[in-house]
Amino acid sequence: MGEIKVSPDYNWFRSTVPLKRIIVDDDDSKVWSLYDAGPKSVRCPIIFLPPVSGTADVFFQQILALTGWGYRVIAVQYPVYWDLVEFCDGFRKLLDGLQLDKVHLFGASLGGFLAQKFAEYTHKSPRVQSLILCNAFSDTSIFNQTWTANSFWLMPAFMLKKIVLGNFASGPMDPVMADGIDFMVDRLESLCQSELASRLTLNCQNSYVEPHKIRDLPVIIMDVFDQSALSTEAKEEMYKLYPNARRAHLKTGGNFPYLCRSAEVNLYVQIHLRQFHGTRYAAIDPSMVNAEELEVQKGSSEDTEVQ
């Protein structure tokens, strides 16, 4: 068990990509942790936003693969924010601090909800060029926890972790899925009470996405056919919200396909980002486009298809 944490790929990632800490608010306690890898000349990178239980390094397989193809990839870990406007304002300041006018966002679960809310928050002066929403939702009421959202800050860490672990898959599963869950449990254990309580508050306080503000964005909805914390109703709601979105369906992958089915997820991300090659919103170093295009064509000809 815990194979990912001791794997050569993870150890290579930790030894080659430094974890940066950036303070953007007046309050020194608001520290963003992030990995920023790939060519800094790229001014419209893809930024990965983790789920409630995740830290920035849960996307290490995307960082390794995509930077190898010439993309600039940033994976972040949120400071403690207790409401969505506060989060969006903090994230905007982070982009300002990194001198990034526009970005592509990949959000997983809570990260997907926050990506949509940030796009909505900045719609008058857009900062988001496109969205990849992985196992994401658009309305917090699906969790039936809006009435407890304001009391998470009172709960001890062990109780908060129990709430999150209740959504993790159990029972027989293939070894890669089991390793992914072990890794996420380990990441969950690394979060302190305020980090977990604030994320659960953002995840459950009464809020929904206003689609008319972000309808024109290129969106890809990525979800799985096997067991995940997302109900069928929540998935259908996302399809209705973004009728023109492209869909990336994975047969398996559970709650954490970016860990358990990383090759497929990486391919979908590449296919999505290809539409921006040759524009000012390209997330890739222009000199790498030809080599990368060949990789994508080779991969997509095997068995993966975006609808």
Side-chain angles (χ1 to χ4, degrees):
M1 291 298 179
E3 290 295 320
I4 291 177
K5 203 174 175 185
V6 296
S7 68
D9 281 352
Y10 183 68
N11 284 308
W12 170 253
F13 164 74
R14 290 304 301 265
S15 64
T16 56
V17 185
L19 179 65
K20 299 177 182 175
R21 300 186 192 280
I22 299 177
I23 297 171
V24 294
D25 294 272
D26 297 333
D27 180 356
D28 284 355
S29 66
K30 297 276 195 278
V31 182
W32 288 81
S33 301
L34 58 89
Y35 296 100
D36 184 352
K40 300 299 181 284
S41 57
V42 171
R43 305 310 306 154
C44 188
I46 180 166
I47 299 183
F48 286 78
L49 306 175
V52 167
S53 55
T55 49
D57 58 351
V58 302
F59 299 114
F60 79 94
Q61 296 187 86
Q62 285 66 55
I63 294 172
L64 289 177
L66 293 168
T67 55
W69 287 311
Y71 289 95
R72 182 179 179 187
V73 183
I74 299 174
V76 304
Q77 190 169 322
Y78 327 115
V80 173
Y81 288 117
W82 295 99
D83 71 66
L84 289 161
V85 172
E86 188 187 22
F87 167 84
C88 290
D89 193 50
F91 190 50
R92 179 182 56 78
K93 288 176 182 172
L94 176 68
L95 297 187
D96 290 345
L98 294 169
Q99 299 182 313
L100 301 173
D101 289 333
K102 274 197 161 187
V103 293
H104 306 278
L105 295 180
F106 178 112
S109 192
L110 169 64
F113 181 66
L114 294 176
Q116 294 170 86
K117 293 303 287 184
F118 181 71
E120 178 190 301
Y121 176 81
T122 58
H123 79 282
K124 288 184 178 174
S125 179
R127 304 298 295 270
V128 179
Q129 182 60 29
S130 74
L131 292 169
I132 303 176
L133 305 173
C134 176
N135 283 343
F137 54 91
S138 59
D139 189 335
T140 59
S141 64
I142 63 166
F143 299 108
N144 298 316
Q145 292 273 4
T146 49
W147 58 278
T148 56
N150 292 329
S151 59
F152 285 131
W153 68 277
L154 288 166
M155 297 183 187
F158 80 87
M159 194 179 290
L160 297 170
K161 286 171 184 173
K162 192 174 178 184
I163 292 170
V164 176
L165 288 170
N167 288 317
F168 283 23
S170 56
M173 64 185 75
D174 71 56
V176 178
M177 297 272 283
D179 287 344
I181 291 173
D182 284 348
F183 185 71
M184 292 302 291
V185 170
D186 184 74
R187 299 296 83 205
L188 177 64
E189 289 296 332
S190 73
L191 298 175
C192 68
Q193 190 274 347
S194 58
E195 286 177 307
L196 207 43
S198 63
R199 291 181 185 195
L200 282 168
T201 302
L202 294 177
N203 198 88
C204 298
Q205 66 183 196
N206 196 17
S207 182
Y208 58 88
V209 174
E210 299 177 57
H212 62 279
K213 293 182 178 177
I214 54 177
R215 193 166 276 152
D216 294 336
L217 285 179
V219 175
I220 184 166
I221 297 173
M222 186 181 296
D223 54 24
V224 298
F225 286 143
D226 61 349
Q227 183 188 357
S228 75
L230 211 59
S231 66
T232 304
E233 292 75 25
K235 292 179 188 177
E236 293 296 334
E237 192 58 37
M238 288 292 289
Y239 301 153
K240 280 187 210 163
L241 212 60
Y242 301 103
N244 299 320
R246 303 179 83 188
R247 300 183 192 178
H249 300 301
L250 287 80
K251 289 179 186 173
T252 57
N255 287 320
F256 317 116
Y258 38 89
L259 279 171
C260 307
R261 300 291 182 263
S262 60
E264 289 176 69
V265 170
N266 296 345
L267 184 57
Y268 281 134
V269 171
Q270 285 177 277
I271 292 170
H272 172 76
L273 293 176
R274 281 172 76 188
Q275 64 190 292
F276 305 103
H277 288 4
T279 74
R280 58 187 291 232
Y281 304 118
I284 191 172
D285 182 332
S287 67
M288 297 289 284
V289 169
N290 289 338
E292 186 268 349
E293 293 274 7
L294 294 173
E295 285 285 344
V296 173
Q297 285 162 8
K298 181 175 143 193
S300 58
S301 66
E302 287 172 9
D303 62 351
T304 312
E305 185 179 344
V306 176
Q307 294 181 355

